[in-house]
Amino acid sequence: MRPREMPHPLCCIALDCPGLGARSRAPDDPPPDPGGAEGPSSTVAVAGVLCKWTNIGKGWRHRWFSLGNGVLSYSRIRRRDPPPVPEGDGVRLIGSATAMFAPVTAASSSRPVSGCGCRQPQKPVRVVHLKISSFRESKTDDRRFYIVSPTKTLHLRTYSSIDRVAWIQALILATKGISINRGVSFMQNDVLISTEKLRDRMQAEGLDDTVIKDCEQIMRLEFAEYHRQLKLRYEEHLTSIGTFHQQLEEVDVEDAATSEGQLQLPKYDYSSSGREKFNEYSTTESSDDVEKQELDELSDEEEVSFFDTNECFGDPIVTCAAEVTSSNVSNRISGFNTNHCDTKIVDVELQPDYPNMLLHIPRRKKLPEPIEKEKGVSLWSMIKDNVGKDLTRVCLPVYFNEPLSSLQKCFEDLEYSDLLDQAYEYGKKGNSLMRILNVAAFAVSGYSSCDGRPCKPFNPLLGETYEADYPEKGIRFFAEKVSHHPMLIACHCEGRGWKFWGDSNLKSKFWGQSIQVDPVGVLTLEFDDGEIFQWSKVTTTIYNLILGKVYCNHHGTMNIRGNQQYSCKLKFKEQSLLDRNPRQVQGLVEDAKGAKVATLVGKWDDSMSCSFGDEVLKSKSSFLTENSTLLWARNKPPPDPTRYNLTSFAIMLNEITSDLKGKLPPTDSRLRPDQRYLENGEYEKANSEKLRLERRQRMSRKLQENGWKPRWFRRDSEDGTFRYTGGYWEAREQMKWDDCLDIFGEMV
Ligand SMILES: CC(C)CCC[C@@H](C)[C@H]1CC[C@H]2[C@@H]3CC=C4C[C@@H](O)CC[C@]4(C)[C@H]3CC[C@]12C
């Protein structure tokens, strides 16, 4: 399927939905198990007739339901056609009424039918993916129950209360089957161990048969215990990362509690408590409320969208955004934590003597107190009605934003710019190895600010700019949104002895519950002595996007290519369920001949260390040794954490400091009204301004088509990247902004 360009409302991301319709595999889905962990025979296969509420006009109607492979499908019943029965060795038919319709001779309650082949399902067959559904019994009618999927609630009735129990059990089993079978085949109880070799050996020793049997039994018990432990770990892990089912419950509760106008900030559960259940099944108070409220709404004609979220976001896309830089100098060294007490700190005498270091601009340490009471809204409640539709048309309210634009977020990558200052100094003193190691640590450090940030940055308007002048860090950063379709941000930063620039285009794939972002574009770092390093960012996956606590992980290989002696390969580990050491980054520095000269190890949200010489050969590169050298450690979190979980550095970025007042161009992100309102906690105003600016933004494509050109960047004719054309800081000196459009003002 060819990617379609489309802006993504969740940020400036365009979505590339791979292979939808063909039910392509999500990245967090395990690969298909050829051995059949998900094959028909490994899942519960159940079928039968149930009454389904259609609408007031038609009331309850018989439908043929079949359950297999974690999917419940149903279709109308025509007596002349036999109903579809799931494929499998043993299909269990539930319900006395089933006998009237079933293709087999007698189908008494819960009677197994063996060897049923799968007939062509009748059309239309609707499908409910149980992994994203929950089940409830009616409290007032012992034959009724509900299947609540993200798109609809199915109201069902069995012929007897016993049948209801059978159906609910089957549904729960099917759901658990999915959770446990998916990709982790060792979780199945059919794992066998053979004691044959042990027995042969003991027999060869002439041991007594009872002793042999005892030994075999001991071995089996030990293995069972091992298996149990493994399963526990796996479940713990699932528990901690949260599952759809638990989250659905949370959302249901939230939905019930959130009536219009009573909005609250998105609630992300930061604790792992209460996540023990894999699927939810309840007889809550709300069940019958749901019933009353929804019975009237449901109509068979309407029920067109029983999709898994994976399938909902139709066409693939491409989008863009950019990334880069930032600063914050001092507590790098003081901020390392006790995990690293064995490690040495790189010598820090290398502080160059810059006059600007004495310049001190007072910067804020916290965000302003919100004017209005915090508001909140569950993302799910915003988009649930749009599942199955084009999510890109859904405009999210401001509650899901943090008060920073993507341009400002780019600057966050430069929080640890002092690593580049050190790299410069090392190189100047002839230590090229320490130079590349510091560059590598810098490339990783930029990711640390993503940790625990649940909100999306504002998508800048075409022509929006952001400047950051940090004389105390010796850096000046500037960024501009240079294209809207595709979304592109270009940036340029100058520091003590180095320049850093790049543009980036985010290619995204939406998988329903997660988004995978692949930044396309090259970042370049050039030292004043001519040494150049280039790299590209790795893939970022944002999980629990729709339900639960949003978090990201970065994975893939980053190649830092140098034009001189060394180059470095950094591997950002893929997240896996049983991983005890997530977020790990491992690296290797090679010289021009390919010899390994140093290794790096650490975590993108914490610190990076390196080892040299013998240590490189000794260590398996994933462990710190006593001779490791600490290169970078993340700064401490702010004393007053913000609602958006911003770092101390990020807190400063949207401030209009005294030296900036009246000097900024009308395009600067700090002047964007909705973002300012959000920062001040004026949510209603923020929302209406956001809507106004989004309307305005829709004209950008036209603007671009009509030959709009970025003001401060031009595409390099050689490599196609956007390069700063210069002149911004000079214009700022004179406050010469005549040719800058009033992009945040009213349209004329
Ligand atoms: C509102 C809810 C639903 C979604 C919140 C999504 C947030 C967490 C997402 C939206 C856009 C994302 C950013 C998009 C692009 C990049 C560039 C990449 O190189 C590092 C990660 C980074 C910086 C992402 C971090 C996570 C991010 C900020």
Side-chain angles (χ1 to χ4, degrees):
M1 211 186 288
R2 256 205 45 196
R4 174 156 65 92
E5 263 181 34
M6 197 176 278
H8 184 264
L10 293 184
C11 112
C12 25
I13 300 181
L15 305 174
D16 182 7
C17 306
L20 292 176
R23 289 288 289 118
S24 61
R25 198 159 55 83
D28 35 356
D29 274 351
D33 180 355
E38 288 191 20
S41 55
S42 68
T43 55
V44 190
V46 168
V49 173
L50 286 169
C51 287
K52 176 180 171 297
W53 178 260
T54 56
N55 56 38
I56 293 198
K58 295 187 198 153
W60 293 96
R61 290 288 158 110
H62 289 115
R63 294 284 178 268
W64 180 264
F65 282 79
S66 46
L67 181 58
N69 290 332
V71 170
L72 180 75
S73 42
Y74 62 97
S75 55
R76 297 206 171 113
I77 298 169
R78 290 187 207 101
R79 281 180 196 258
R80 56 183 185 279
D81 303 325
V85 174
E87 208 172 355
D89 296 338
V91 177
R92 199 156 62 93
L93 297 180
I94 302 181
S96 36
T98 304
M100 302 188 299
F101 306 93
V104 286
T105 42
S108 61
S109 203
S110 303
R111 175 177 174 152
V113 179
S114 53
C116 282
C118 186
R119 291 181 178 83
Q120 283 305 304
Q122 287 170 310
K123 298 225 163 151
V125 173
R126 315 244 184 256
V127 161
V128 182
H129 290 271
L130 296 173
K131 72 167 177 176
I132 50 165
S133 305
S134 55
F135 327 114
R136 292 188 179 157
E137 286 176 338
S138 165
K139 282 186 294 157
T140 48
D141 182 337
D142 63 359
R143 296 171 308 155
R144 281 199 215 175
F145 66 104
Y146 312 99
I147 300 179
V148 184
S149 87
T151 46
K152 283 263 187 250
T153 302
L154 284 186
H155 296 249
L156 303 170
R157 204 178 61 196
T158 52
Y159 279 83
S160 70
S161 54
I162 298 172
D163 287 352
R164 181 172 84 170
V165 172
W167 268 108
I168 295 218
Q169 269 175 0
L171 287 164
I172 291 173
L173 274 178
T175 318
K176 281 198 171 163
I178 302 159
S179 316
I180 296 181
N181 289 344
R182 286 212 153 207
V184 189
S185 47
F186 69 80
M187 297 312 305
Q188 293 181 323
N189 287 328
D190 57 3
V191 183
L192 293 176
I193 60 154
S194 163
T195 53
E196 206 179 314
K197 282 188 190 141
L198 183 74
R199 197 175 40 237
D200 289 350
R201 181 78 186 83
M202 288 196 284
Q203 272 166 355
E205 289 295 321
L207 288 173
D208 182 73
D209 217 37
T210 42
V211 176
I212 297 181
K213 285 215 171 94
D214 270 359
C215 290
E216 283 181 319
Q217 186 60 9
I218 292 171
M219 192 172 155
R220 275 196 213 100
L221 286 174
E222 285 294 316
F223 182 76
E225 175 57 19
Y226 168 74
H227 190 253
R228 198 184 64 82
Q229 295 270 351
L230 224 50
K231 187 170 166 173
L232 266 178
R233 296 258 163 83
Y234 171 69
E235 287 177 359
E236 260 167 29
H237 221 89
L238 272 188
T239 302
S240 69
I241 60 172
T243 62
F244 263 126
H245 311 288
Q246 171 66 26
Q247 289 145 7
L248 266 176
E249 185 153 46
E250 283 164 19
V251 168
D252 283 346
V253 172
E254 246 180 274
D255 278 352
T258 315
S259 61
E260 249 181 80
Q262 282 180 297
L263 304 167
Q264 301 152 6
L265 267 177
K267 285 202 179 74
Y268 295 102
D269 180 10
Y270 286 96
S271 75
S272 61
S273 60
R275 286 180 181 267
E276 291 79 29
K277 290 185 283 172
F278 286 129
N279 65 330
E280 60 114 8
Y281 163 56
S282 62
T283 54
T284 59
E285 285 298 313
S286 57
S287 304
D288 291 300
D289 298 342
V290 171
E291 183 176 1
K292 281 189 212 99
Q293 173 203 325
E294 291 195 16
L295 278 180
D296 292 346
E297 296 167 12
L298 270 177
S299 104
D300 243 8
E301 280 66 46
E302 278 170 2
E303 33 175 20
V304 280
S305 51
F306 276 100
F307 300 111
D308 187 323
T309 34
N310 271 355
E311 294 166 272
C312 304
F313 305 98
D315 287 310
I317 304 154
V318 178
T319 319
C320 336
E323 268 322 286
V324 196
T325 49
S326 174
S327 68
N328 181 9
V329 93
S330 54
N331 47 357
R332 180 165 89 78
I333 296 308
S334 60
F336 76 98
N337 66 30
T338 45
N339 297 346
H340 314 295
C341 46
D342 288 344
T343 58
K344 287 186 297 177
I345 296 167
V346 165
D347 78 88
V348 278
E349 286 159 32
L350 292 161
Q351 294 295 349
D353 174 24
Y354 274 84
N356 275 348
M357 285 193 67
L358 300 175
L359 254 173
H360 179 70
I361 297 171
R363 300 191 194 270
R364 66 184 181 191
K365 297 207 163 41
K366 49 182 183 171
L367 292 182
E369 282 303 316
I371 292 172
E372 289 166 25
K373 210 168 149 274
E374 275 191 18
K375 307 210 163 188
V377 63
S378 82
L379 179 62
W380 182 245
S381 71
M382 294 309 305
I383 61 173
K384 67 177 177 184
D385 296 331
N386 297 287
V387 172
K389 295 181 195 156
D390 181 358
L391 190 67
T392 59
R393 301 229 186 96
V394 185
C395 274
L396 287 180
V398 81
Y399 312 111
F400 301 100
N401 284 93
E402 55 183 21
L404 288 175
S405 70
S406 296
L407 298 166
Q408 291 164 310
K409 200 149 173 103
C410 279
F411 183 52
E412 287 195 56
D413 275 11
L414 283 158
E415 173 168 358
Y416 301 95
S417 64
D418 53 321
L419 289 167
L420 298 183
D421 302 339
Q422 299 220 32
Y424 174 63
E425 293 298 319
Y426 273 121
K428 214 164 76 175
K429 293 185 175 162
N431 191 344
S432 310
L433 183 54
M434 276 314 285
R435 175 175 278 187
I436 192 164
L437 286 167
N438 276 275
V439 171
F442 169 79
V444 177
S445 71
Y447 288 100
S448 62
S449 64
C450 297
D451 188 25
R453 298 260 291 266
C455 295
K456 70 188 188 79
F458 279 84
N459 181 2
L461 306 188
L462 188 64
E464 188 170 324
T465 59
Y466 180 68
E467 62 151 82
D469 184 12
Y470 278 67
E472 65 272 45
K473 287 167 70 66
I475 60 172
R476 260 179 175 182
F477 169 91
F478 181 69
E480 179 178 8
K481 173 156 162 182
V482 290
S483 162
H484 189 55
H485 290 286
M487 208 302 245
L488 256 176
I489 290 170
C491 70
H492 179 92
C493 185
E494 292 183 13
R496 300 166 176 145
W498 52 266
K499 287 189 187 66
F500 178 60
W501 68 87
D503 62 41
S504 154
N505 175 344
L506 295 187
K507 252 194 116 183
S508 314
K509 287 180 193 143
F510 193 89
W511 297 99
Q513 172 74 326
S514 61
I515 285 190
Q516 183 183 320
V517 181
D518 290 297
V520 181
V522 177
L523 303 176
T524 306
L525 170 68
E526 182 175 345
F527 290 102
D528 288 357
D529 50 26
E531 186 160 17
I532 297 176
F533 294 95
Q534 289 193 309
W535 65 91
S536 297
K537 301 199 93 185
V538 295
T539 302
T540 295
T541 302
I542 304 140
Y543 295 92
N544 287 345
L545 201 65
I546 296 181
L547 302 165
K549 178 189 165 190
V550 173
Y551 70 97
C552 14
N553 192 39
H554 314 288
H555 46 98
T557 304
M558 180 185 273
N559 278 312
I560 304 180
R561 297 171 303 274
N563 67 343
Q564 290 176 18
Q565 220 176 337
Y566 297 113
S567 57
C568 174
K569 202 176 259 182
L570 288 168
K571 277 202 175 134
F572 288 66
K573 215 161 114 186
E574 192 94 33
Q575 171 181 289
S576 77
L577 283 179
L578 293 171
D579 201 349
R580 293 189 150 256
N581 198 3
R583 299 162 169 216
Q584 233 192 36
V585 184
Q586 291 171 19
L588 194 62
V589 178
E590 290 180 348
D591 64 15
K593 291 189 200 118
K596 296 170 185 161
V597 288
T599 53
L600 288 119
V601 61
K603 289 172 153 216
W604 58 257
D605 62 333
D606 182 51
S607 62
M608 287 301 290
S609 301
C610 61
S611 328
F612 313 92
D614 289 351
E615 294 298 319
V616 176
L617 304 171
K618 259 199 290 175
S619 74
K620 279 193 72 203
S621 86
S622 55
F623 301 103
L624 281 183
T625 66
E626 54 192 23
N627 294 318
S628 298
T629 301
L630 181 72
L631 292 165
W632 160 75
R634 180 177 164 182
N635 290 333
K636 288 196 203 102
D640 299 309
T642 65
R643 286 159 284 162
Y644 311 101
N645 226 356
L646 302 185
T647 60
S648 299
F649 183 67
I651 286 175
M652 305 189 289
L653 304 185
N654 199 38
E655 184 185 11
I656 305 185
T657 51
S658 50
D659 63 309
L660 289 178
K661 286 204 177 92
K663 297 209 178 126
L664 294 168
T667 48
D668 194 278
S669 290
R670 293 174 185 86
L671 303 176
R672 183 170 168 160
D674 47 356
Q675 200 174 306
R676 180 64 53 199
Y677 281 130
L678 178 68
E679 187 183 287
N680 293 336
E682 296 176 270
Y683 306 107
E684 299 306 330
K685 286 187 192 156
N687 252 333
S688 57
E689 276 298 275
K690 185 163 180 278
L691 286 174
R692 180 180 69 82
L693 291 172
E694 272 161 2
R695 271 198 302 273
R696 216 196 134 116
Q697 178 84 334
R698 274 178 219 125
M699 296 178 45
S700 299
R701 188 193 277 268
K702 277 222 171 84
L703 215 65
Q704 227 175 309
E705 280 162 5
N706 292 340
W708 179 90
K709 289 268 167 318
R711 172 68 188 79
W712 308 104
F713 289 83
R714 283 280 167 282
R715 218 183 253 286
D716 188 296
S717 50
E718 270 174 38
D719 62 5
T721 58
F722 277 90
R723 296 293 304 269
Y724 175 53
T725 50
Y728 177 84
W729 298 103
E730 293 72 12
R732 187 178 177 285
E733 209 43 45
Q734 301 162 28
M735 290 185 4
K736 227 175 140 286
W737 304 128
D738 321 333
D739 49 354
C740 292
L741 294 173
D742 178 18
I743 55 168
F744 304 131
E746 287 301 332
M747 269 177 285
V748 275

